[in-house]
């Protein structure tokens, strides 16, 4: 009963939330400026394709959301003039590949060497590989936001619904606007209070709560949404003997609700889910040199990371011994355990890179699905090859996580067509190629 009520609650409120939160589509507000005009009629017609992919090669739902999100993040920013025609993009890619080849032949710094010249200077720079980790929340709206901003938006959304749906909204506020351990203690205590009234309808002692009681202050009052729930359940604040009390009366319960429904809703409440956005980007070779990850990728703070690295360096200098396999594996685990997300890049034979963000516990098969959804020929056979030449074509690899495969925190795969698809020369869909921007 209650779960269905919560589901209907969101179905009814989502449309209202789009207007209240000023959302008019993925990542754009009603009062935002229009995107800058293209430089030519030809580029204008093609740029429209970036927003509405051709039907003959329509993007999957995930890739479409990622593409729209990427376009939305570019809107409103000051950018240098950039020719987005496919011919210009391909010419730029060829130019960069030739420059890269000459640099290698002449003994110049490679991409990896150039990015590691000065670790201290790199940390100080703000040219991150990505500007952060972004999420979607389909229950609330279509915007693409960082996790902290979504938590604030969810809280704002829920408090706006209190007047119309106090009981169900209060249940969701308790679970979504408080630390998990605090919310669980509050829910357990509130459930016991309501169960006592339901099971003992004639016992007056269960219908009165002294608000200065230590249990009430430590387990209920400290939790956002708890007082709203009690008011919806029929409790009203009254002063008795000079102290504030909550007194229950059946007359105070919302006619459309009941104690049983509220109790079930309280126990069935869950966090409003947010989904990781791939933050899809298509990059030129020169743009891939950015390898510094933003703090959102880490489980610990940057200061703690620096301190840990310093301690490990000192320990290695003091202990001039050969590492065993077990020691190397332990150190590798310590490194990857710092990260919550992994930045996956796929280099295509034409020099273009596809980039996406993944949770470290997502399966490798999800990476393959992401790449497949972006291909011009989605049904083609392909393989992803690591820089060391390892080809991830074992079916068992598809069910293994990025963490298990040690594909953390960044990895660059080389893309290659397989079997009958080897003769293909087209890679990414044209509407995705148009996502290449000058950063």
């Amino acid at each position: 009963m209650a779960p269905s009520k919560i589901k209907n609650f969101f179905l009814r409120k989502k449309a209202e939330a789009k207007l209240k939160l000023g959302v008019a589509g993925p990542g754009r507000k009603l009062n935002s400026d229009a995107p800058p005009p293209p430089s030519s009629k030809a580029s204008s017609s093609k740029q429209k394709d970036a927003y509405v992919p051709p039907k003959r090669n329509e993007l999957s739902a995930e890739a479409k959301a990622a593409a729209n999100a990427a376009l939305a993040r570019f809107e409103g920013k000051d950018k240098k003039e950039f020719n987005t025609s496919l011919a210009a993009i391909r010419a730029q890619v060829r130019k960069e590949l030739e420059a890269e080849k000459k640099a290698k032949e002449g003994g110049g710094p490679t991409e990896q060497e150039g990015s590691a010249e000065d670790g201290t200077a790199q940390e100080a720079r703000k040219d991150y590989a990505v500007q952060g980790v972004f999420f979607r929340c389909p229950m609330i709206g279509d915007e693409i936001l960082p996790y902290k901003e979504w938590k604030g938006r969810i809280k704002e959304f829920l408090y706006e619904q209190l007047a119309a749906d106090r009981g169900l909204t209060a249940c969701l506020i308790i679970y979504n606007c408080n630390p998990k351990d605090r919310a669980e203690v509050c829910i357990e205590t509130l459930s016991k209070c309501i169960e006592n009234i339901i099971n003992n309808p004639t016992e007056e002692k269960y219908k009165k709560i002294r608000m200065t009681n230590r249990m009430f202050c430590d387990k209920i009052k400290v939790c956002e949404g708890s007082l709203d729930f009690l008011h919806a359940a029929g409790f009203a604040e009254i002063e008795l003997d000079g102290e504030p009390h909550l007194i229950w009366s059946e007359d105070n319960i919302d006619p459309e609700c009941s104690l049983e429904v509220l109790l079930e809703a309280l126990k069935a409440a869950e966090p409003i889910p947010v989904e990781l956005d791939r933050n899809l980007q298509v990059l030129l070779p020169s743009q891939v040199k950015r390898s510094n990850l933003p703090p959102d990728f880490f489980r610990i703070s940057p200061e703690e990371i620096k301190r840990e690295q310093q301690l490990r360096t000192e320990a290695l200098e003091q202990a001039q011994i050969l590492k065993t396999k077990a020691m190397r594996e332990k150190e590798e685990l310590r490194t990857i355990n710092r990260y919550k997300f992994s930045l996956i890049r796929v280099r295509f034979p034409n020099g273009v890179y596809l980039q996406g963000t993944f949770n470290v516990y997502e399966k490798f098969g999800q990476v393959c699905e992401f790449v497949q959804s972006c291909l011009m020929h989605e049904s083609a056979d392909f393989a992803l090859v690591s820089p060391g030449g390892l080809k991830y074509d074992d079916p068992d690899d598809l069910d293994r996580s990025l963490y298990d495969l040690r594909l953390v925190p960044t990895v660059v795969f080389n893309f290659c067509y397989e079997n009958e698809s080897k003769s293909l020369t087209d890679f990414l869909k044209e509407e995705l190629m148009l996502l290449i921007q000058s950063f």
Side-chain angles (χ1 to χ4, degrees), residues 10-27:
F10 279 109
L11 290 175
R12 188 171 69 253
K13 294 297 180 181
K14 184 176 178 182
E16 299 174 12
K18 288 185 179 181
L19 293 176
K20 289 181 179 179
L21 299 177
V23 179

Side-chain angles (χ1 to χ4, degrees), residues 165-214:
D165 297 272
R166 194 169 195 177
L168 294 178
T169 304
C171 295
L172 293 169
I173 289 176
I174 292 171
Y175 218 107
N176 287 277
C177 302
N178 297 285
K180 184 179 179 181
D181 54 347
R182 184 185 299 174
E184 289 176 346
V185 170
C186 179
I187 289 171
E188 182 182 353
T189 308
L190 287 174
S191 298
K192 190 172 182 180
C193 291
I194 302 302
E195 286 170 350
N196 284 337
I197 295 175
I198 293 173
N199 298 330
N200 306 278
T202 60
E203 288 284 348
E204 295 298 323
K205 65 179 181 179
Y206 295 128
K207 302 175 183 179
K208 181 171 65 174
I209 301 175
R210 182 163 55 87
M211 298 181 72
T212 55
N213 179 284
R214 183 173 179 180

Side-chain angles (χ1 to χ4, degrees), residues 106-376:
T110 64
E111 177 180 308
Q112 289 78 10
E113 291 169 348
S115 63
E117 284 178 353
D118 188 346
T120 305
Q122 187 182 39
E123 288 177 3
R125 292 199 304 264
K126 298 300 180 183
D127 56 341
Y128 292 128
V130 284
Q131 292 307 303
V133 178
F134 300 92
F135 295 83
R136 289 173 281 143
C137 185
M139 281 189 173
I140 305 298
D142 300 320
E143 289 183 295
I144 310 296
L145 301 168
Y147 184 77
K148 287 184 179 179
E149 288 188 32
W150 262 124
K151 294 301 289 184
R153 188 60 57 86
I154 289 171
K155 181 175 180 178
E156 176 186 342
F157 167 79
L158 290 175
Y159 272 98
E160 286 178 349
Q161 316 310 319
L162 267 177
D165 297 272
R166 194 169 195 177
L168 294 178
T169 304
C171 295
L172 293 169
I173 289 176
I174 292 171
Y175 218 107
N176 287 277
C177 302
N178 297 285
K180 184 179 179 181
D181 54 347
R182 184 185 299 174
E184 289 176 346
V185 170
C186 179
I187 289 171
E188 182 182 353
T189 308
L190 287 174
S191 298
K192 190 172 182 180
C193 291
I194 302 302
E195 286 170 350
N196 284 337
I197 295 175
I198 293 173
N199 298 330
N200 306 278
T202 60
E203 288 284 348
E204 295 298 323
K205 65 179 181 179
Y206 295 128
K207 302 175 183 179
K208 181 171 65 174
I209 301 175
R210 182 163 55 87
M211 298 181 72
T212 55
N213 179 284
R214 183 173 179 180
M215 179 275 292
F216 177 83
C217 293
D218 292 346
K219 297 183 177 182
I220 296 178
K221 191 176 180 180
V222 293
C223 223
E224 284 192 58
S226 59
L227 290 179
D228 291 298
F229 175 83
L230 288 171
H231 291 153
F235 284 90
E237 293 186 33
I238 298 176
E239 189 169 316
L240 295 175
D241 302 324
E243 287 189 304
H245 285 71
L246 287 169
I247 306 298
W248 182 84
S249 172
E250 189 173 2
D251 297 335
N252 295 331
I253 301 177
D254 188 334
E256 297 182 2
C257 247
S258 68
L259 286 181
E260 289 79 8
V261 169
L262 287 173
L263 178 62
E264 191 177 351
L266 183 64
K267 292 181 176 180
E270 295 179 345
I272 295 174
V274 292
E275 303 171 0
L276 178 65
D277 180 68
R278 292 291 176 230
N279 193 11
L280 183 153
Q281 292 184 24
V282 182
L283 308 171
L284 297 171
S286 61
Q287 295 167 335
V288 182
K289 291 182 180 179
R290 294 186 173 100
S291 58
N292 197 21
L293 294 174
D296 293 352
F297 272 72
F298 296 89
R299 296 184 187 278
I300 58 179
S301 68
E303 292 75 18
E304 291 172 314
I305 293 171
K306 291 178 184 178
R307 186 160 54 249
E308 186 177 319
Q309 289 175 333
Q310 184 178 356
L311 291 173
R312 188 170 67 255
T313 301
E314 292 174 356
L316 288 174
E317 290 174 352
Q318 293 173 2
Q320 298 295 328
I321 59 174
L322 293 175
K323 297 180 187 177
T324 64
K325 181 180 179 181
M327 291 171 65
R328 290 195 300 271
E329 289 178 350
K330 185 176 180 181
E331 185 172 336
E332 184 182 21
L333 281 175
R334 283 184 61 190
T335 300
I336 67 174
N337 281 338
R338 299 175 189 160
Y339 299 92
K340 296 184 288 185
F341 304 99
S342 184
L343 191 67
I344 304 296
R345 288 166 168 165
V346 179
R347 185 183 189 276
F348 291 88
N350 63 359
V352 170
Y353 288 76
L354 175 69
Q355 177 175 286
T357 302
F358 292 78
N359 188 290
V360 296
Y361 298 117
E362 288 191 77
K363 308 296 185 185
F364 179 72
Q366 291 172 272
V367 174
C368 294
E369 290 172 6
F370 168 71
V371 174
Q372 184 179 39
S373 70
C374 298
L375 295 178
M376 179 79 76

